[in-house]
Amino acid sequence: MAYILLNLLVLLFPLVLSFDRKVAFYKSWPAVFPSLLVILILFGSWDVWKTSIGVWSFSVQYAGAWRFLGLPAGEWLFFICVPYSCIFILACVRAYIKEHELPIPLWLWYVLAEAIILAGLLLMHKTYTGIVFLSVGAAILAVRILSPNNFRSSNFWIALAITYVPFLIANGILTGLPIVLYDNSRNLNIRVGPIPIEDFFFSLSMLLLSFALYDFFGRKQEKHSLHKRATALE
């Protein structure tokens, strides 16, 4: 199936390069996997709901006829392969690029989140647009709670920007074939090439939360390792 193959291609190089000596991303898997599980549950549930009310649908030709809770196998894989690959990009940026702290006041993100959530409420007559704005606002608040230093991290923003390169390629294929079919009455019908503009915000909310969860679980993993070492020395 085209959709499954696309997901596997997205995952291929990050998975193989997870064993690079400098990045050693495989050592972060205890933080990565719970992050992916949370993303799969949250965004998978959102996707099930959106599909059930007809915001979008999936081509049988490219995604296959098999469905679980209304979603094809490729869509479930999407919420594993894409966040994994993007978290890998974040790890690589942190390994190879010097970090700089950005002078951004953290209170600003509360204001921004409130403004985006308000915009989402005003756009709820366009179901996809309204909900995706609400999700971005919620993701900003989640980052502020789970990993607030990310907003001041130059590497965080560099990694986020880099993720939009594979996003444009993969999402261009998804919407260009098309694998995903949209009901344009539920969105603004503004496109970048074949890609609805809402997809950019969908990706933003998913990756903001993915990065924050990765750092949150990473800190827990580090504390657990330090505790084990301290216990072993006693």
Side-chain angles (χ1 to χ4, degrees), residues 164-178:
Y164 275 94
V165 176
F167 165 83
L168 287 169
I169 297 170
N171 209 289
I173 295 171
L174 280 175
T175 54
L177 281 176

Side-chain angles (χ1 to χ4, degrees), residues 82-104:
V82 172
Y84 182 95
S85 301
C86 291
I87 294 172
F88 173 76
I89 289 173
L90 176 65
C92 289
V93 169
R94 286 175 172 172
Y96 287 98
I97 299 178
K98 185 178 179 180
E99 174 70 274
H100 296 283
E101 183 176 346
L102 304 176
I104 302 175

Side-chain angles (χ1 to χ4, degrees), residues 37-100:
L37 180 60
V38 173
I39 293 297
L40 179 64
I41 293 171
L42 289 179
F43 283 86
S45 300
W46 174 18
D47 211 345
V48 168
W49 172 57
K50 287 293 187 62
T51 303
S52 70
I53 63 174
V55 172
W56 51 58
S57 59
F58 301 92
S59 164
V60 173
Q61 180 182 358
Y62 297 112
W66 183 88
R67 298 288 186 273
F68 176 67
L69 298 178
L71 304 183
E75 187 73 353
W76 290 110
L77 280 174
F78 175 89
F79 295 116
I80 298 172
C81 298
V82 172
Y84 182 95
S85 301
C86 291
I87 294 172
F88 173 76
I89 289 173
L90 176 65
C92 289
V93 169
R94 286 175 172 172
Y96 287 98
I97 299 178
K98 185 178 179 180
E99 174 70 274
H100 296 283

Side-chain angles (χ1 to χ4, degrees), residues 2 6 15 19 22 28 34 40 74 83 97 101 104 114-115 117 119 144-145 154 164 183 190-191 195 200 218 227 229:
L6 179 62
L15 186 59
F19 300 92
K22 185 164 185 176
S28 298
L40 179 64
I97 299 178
E101 183 176 346
I104 302 175
E114 290 174 3
I117 289 171
R144 184 65 184 87
I145 294 167
S154 60
Y164 275 94
D183 177 356
I190 299 173
R191 306 227 170 190
I195 305 171
F200 288 85
H227 178 71
R229 291 176 189 171

Side-chain angles (χ1 to χ4, degrees), residues 126-201:
K126 297 286 187 179
T127 314
Y128 185 19
T129 311
I131 294 297
V132 82
F133 270 59
L134 293 179
S135 74
V136 171
I140 290 172
L141 293 176
V143 175
R144 184 65 184 87
I145 294 167
L146 295 174
S147 190
N149 291 332
N150 277 352
F151 284 136
R152 288 178 170 168
S153 164
S154 60
N155 283 342
F156 172 81
W157 294 110
I158 290 170
L160 195 62
I162 292 173
T163 64
Y164 275 94
V165 176
F167 165 83
L168 287 169
I169 297 170
N171 209 289
I173 295 171
L174 280 175
T175 54
L177 281 176
I179 295 173
V180 184
L181 307 164
Y182 297 86
D183 177 356
N184 289 328
S185 68
R186 308 293 188 96
N187 60 56
L188 295 175
N189 201 19
I190 299 173
R191 306 227 170 190
V192 178
I195 305 171
I197 195 167
E198 287 84 357
D199 281 8
F200 288 85
F201 293 99

